[in-house]
Each structure stands twice: as structure tokens, then as C-alpha cells.
Amino acid sequence: MRTFAVINQKGGTGKTTVAVNLAGRLADLGREVLLVDLDPQGNATSGSGAERRKLFRGAADVLRGERLRDCAVCSVGGRYSLLGAKPDLAGADIDLPREEEWQTLLRRALAEEKENKGDADFVLIDCPPALGALTINALVAAESVLIPMQCEYFALEGLSDLARTIRRLREKWNPSLHIGGIIRSMLDARNVLARDISEELRRHFGARVFNAAIRRNVRVAEAPSHGLPVLKYAPHSVGAEGYRQLGDEFLERFA
């Protein structure tokens, strides 16, 4: 079981879309995948075809001590497991710090699942876009960070802030945490700025920048409203092809 936090402290970067579609592609390739929705907005949950208010258990229950395997459900079309975000997750950033060793709640739940021979090859955690208790739990539980980002100036600034956050978390709670990969999302390859920032990313982060990039595509934007990864909703679209390439490259790096 390998655990990845999908994170960007800047909103609107395609973070949740990357988490859902990467989970779908890895499942298509025969891997057992658990997608954990730690974002109280619950977009990864609805994007996986689950109705938040109809979930009996979810991520908040696991953080309160319930067994993960009792709280996860199957996604509708993605063929991966989902630990969804019910509305009660919204209060977790306030409630969690009252618990003893609250930073390690998710890590302990995943460790227990692994000890009980949980069958996930990969765990992908969709994080909130802010550094609160939920995000800290994700980063303490993860071995690697996947950072989706747009190729624009302010996103580059935000990446520097996130790198500092990862260093602080590594020093305090999770020495093995590192940046596993940077994913260029919503890319407009015709844009000169996008090409310049891609080159800047490669200068600073080298091979950690995925070769696969997700181009802007209306089918990717439409897919969540149908509760499906774009690979199921529009398998022949440009967006689906981008996620096929991303999933294949991800397995080459981490399988």
C-alpha cells in the first residue's frame, strides 16, 4: 500500500479532478485503489458518483476511530474504493485538534487497514486547499505528495509556499514525506506563458515534473456532473487521453 496526498494550497488547480481520474485510470490498469476524500466540499465524492448526504459512513467516521474497511464504498463508474466526505467532515478542522495525537489519526487508520491485509495498492488522498487539521492528517499519512498546478505565474508562487509547508511537516511529523510529482493541469499548450512556466518547473524540479500534462478540455469539466471519471464519460476525448498517459507514467514511477 503506497499513499499519496494530492494537494495544492491554491484553489482551482484541478486537484480533485486529478485525484478522481488518476484513481480511475489506475483501476482500469488492474490496480486496487482507495480514494480518500478529505476535502469538506466533497467534490471527489460526488465526482465518483456517490451522494454525500446518503453515505452511511465516511472519512469523518474513520478519523473518529471507525474501521476504514467499514466506511469505504465502491465508486459508481471508476471501479475503485471511495472513502467519501459526508457533510459532517466540515467541522473536523475544529474538532480534530481536541484529540490526542490528532495529526496521526488517518495514518493510524491506514496502518490498521494494512495490518488487516487491506488490498489497496495505492491510496490517493484528495486534500482541502488550506493547511488545516485535515490537510495535516493527509500529509502525515502520506509518503509522497502529488501537486497538480496550472502553468501560470501565481501558481508558481503557490508552489514555493507548498514546498515550504512540506519541509515543515517533514521536520515535525513525517520525515519520509517528499514531492513525488508535479502534474500540469488545465494546460493550454498554445500559451507562451504556459510553455515558459513548464520550462521553469523542469529547471527547479527536474524529473519530478510528469511528462504527461492534462490539457484544457470541456469533457473533463463535464464528467464530474455525471459522477464519472472522464475516462468513462468521454473515453475518446483529449482529456481522457491525458489521464491515460498520466496513469501509465505514474505506474512506471511508483509501481
Side-chain angles (χ1 to χ4, degrees):
M1 181 188 289
R2 304 195 64 180
T3 305
F4 299 82
V6 185
I7 182 172
N8 196 316
Q9 290 174 262
K10 182 181 183 298
T13 61
K15 169 184 61 65
T16 297
T17 306
V18 166
V20 169
N21 284 284
L22 181 56
R25 177 55 178 168
L26 293 175
D28 285 346
L29 292 170
R31 304 306 171 114
E32 296 292 335
V33 182
L34 170 65
L35 176 60
V36 178
D37 190 353
L38 273 197
D39 189 338
Q41 296 177 84
N43 292 333
T45 301
S46 56
S48 298
E51 293 188 47
R52 298 179 64 210
R53 297 185 183 278
K54 291 185 178 180
L55 286 175
F56 183 59
R57 293 188 179 97
D61 299 283
V62 169
L63 295 172
R64 287 193 289 261
E66 296 280 343
R67 292 197 314 173
L68 195 152
R69 63 180 53 199
D70 295 333
C71 300
V73 298
C74 288
S75 65
V76 171
R79 297 195 295 124
Y80 51 85
S81 297
L82 170 72
L83 181 60
K86 298 189 303 171
D88 62 350
L89 191 63
D93 271 333
I94 296 172
D95 296 336
L96 286 184
R98 299 171 185 165
E99 303 292 327
E100 185 178 355
E101 295 185 346
W102 59 270
Q103 304 90 345
T104 65
L105 293 172
L106 182 60
R107 182 166 69 186
R108 281 181 272 160
L110 290 172
E112 180 185 3
E113 182 70 5
K114 187 174 182 179
E115 287 173 8
N116 290 324
K117 297 182 170 54
D119 56 3
D121 297 310
F122 298 106
V123 179
L124 302 177
I125 308 170
D126 185 38
C127 300
L131 187 65
L134 288 168
T135 301
I136 289 173
N137 256 270
L139 293 175
V140 171
E143 64 177 76
S144 298
V145 174
L146 300 177
I147 307 173
M149 63 168 288
Q150 295 184 58
C151 287
E152 57 183 36
Y153 177 73
F154 289 123
L156 201 57
E157 279 195 334
L159 185 57
S160 299
D161 294 338
L162 181 55
R164 282 192 290 271
T165 296
I166 291 167
R167 283 197 297 272
R168 289 201 301 269
L169 267 290
R170 188 165 57 227
E171 291 166 2
K172 199 162 187 180
W173 289 304
N174 187 358
S176 64
L177 186 66
H178 64 280
I179 296 175
I182 296 170
I183 301 162
R184 294 165 295 156
S185 63
M186 294 185 277
L187 181 71
D188 183 352
R190 300 167 299 177
N191 188 309
V192 174
L193 178 62
R195 293 200 298 271
D196 289 346
I197 289 180
S198 287
E199 291 173 7
E200 186 78 8
L201 283 172
R202 291 202 180 279
R203 275 197 296 271
H204 284 280
F205 294 97
R208 283 181 289 181
V209 181
F210 279 89
N211 293 318
I214 311 303
R215 288 188 278 169
R216 288 189 182 274
N217 179 245
V218 68
R219 299 300 181 208
V220 173
E222 291 171 351
S225 65
H226 297 268
L228 293 169
V230 71
L231 292 152
K232 294 289 185 291
Y233 172 69
H236 303 296
S237 65
V238 168
E241 179 56 29
Y243 279 109
R244 275 190 287 271
Q245 293 174 6
L246 177 64
D248 294 351
E249 188 177 351
F250 179 93
L251 276 188
E252 287 177 10
R253 291 188 183 204
F254 299 114

